[in-house]
Amino acid sequence: MSGHGYEKGRLNLPFVGLCTFGKYPYQPDWDSIDADFAVLGAPFDFGTQFRAGARFGPRGIREASTLFSFGHAGAYDHEDDVTYLEADKVRIVDIGDADIIHTDTMQSHANIETGVRAILKAGAIPIVLGGDHSVNIPCINAFSDQEPFHLVQIDAHLDFVDERHGVR
């Protein structure tokens, strides 16, 4: 985050500029990811039962995350008076969203998997912002050639099933 901070005169406040996760750098070239963590949006919600809208999740999470970048090169916690995830210690990039093709679940999931595989190829840890519960499937598939791995899912509940109301 060069040029970011009070000392340099460029605050990069939450309401200006591009809305990336935590105002971290945007890396649109998935072959040039150079980071410890890479954030991928998976704005997919064709798997919802009756309440569409989860496709706006990545955008909402990114927007909310900018509030922690108020003139600091990291996530400032006012209660602890500490800046976490400092840019000079942890390299984080936002690689944008996987392409979602309306009405094509298989290709949309393949595109999410491609994004996660690009992150893994770069040696970074993927952070995927969804979307509905089905975005777990392409994320897990991307690890098919990896050693055992851990998945952390933050959600209100887990609905990971193969079939719902007779539909696979």
Side-chain angles (χ1 to χ4, degrees):
M1 289 190 176
S2 61
H4 183 78
Y6 294 114
E7 305 80 31
K8 305 205 183 215
R10 178 144 169 89
L11 299 180
N12 198 17
L13 297 176
F15 51 86
V16 300
L18 295 176
C19 186
T20 61
F21 183 81
K23 303 279 296 190
Y24 287 100
Y26 173 55
Q27 175 51 271
D29 182 356
W30 290 5
D31 292 322
S32 299
I33 299 168
D34 183 22
D36 300 313
F37 298 89
V39 177
L40 170 69
F44 180 89
D45 65 1
F46 311 159
T48 58
Q49 291 179 356
F50 62 93
R51 249 180 106 186
R55 71 186 75 172
F56 301 110
R59 182 172 292 190
I61 294 167
R62 284 183 175 109
E63 187 171 320
S65 75
T66 66
L67 297 176
F68 294 98
S69 63
F70 198 83
H72 301 278
Y76 178 71
D77 184 320
H78 69 280
E79 292 177 352
D80 293 341
D81 192 27
V82 173
T83 301
Y84 296 100
L85 302 175
E86 293 176 274
D88 61 342
K89 295 179 183 163
V90 180
R91 298 171 307 140
I92 300 173
V93 296
D94 188 324
I95 67 168
D97 292 338
D99 287 326
I100 302 302
I101 301 164
H102 191 65
T103 71
D104 191 340
T105 297
M106 298 306 287
Q107 188 59 54
S108 296
H109 276 193
N111 293 343
I112 295 167
E113 181 177 336
T114 297
V116 175
R117 284 188 184 276
I119 294 168
L120 293 172
K121 181 180 175 188
I125 296 173
I127 299 173
V128 181
L129 311 175
D132 68 29
H133 298 95
S134 73
V135 302
N136 291 318
I137 297 166
C139 294
I140 291 169
N141 289 344
F143 283 85
S144 64
D145 58 350
Q146 302 287 316
E147 292 294 321
F149 65 93
H150 298 277
L151 171 73
V152 176
Q153 178 178 344
I154 300 172
D155 193 345
H157 55 275
L158 179 62
D159 287 6
F160 193 68
V161 296
D162 284 339
E163 185 177 309
R164 175 78 62 189
H165 305 295
V167 178
R168 251 186 102 61

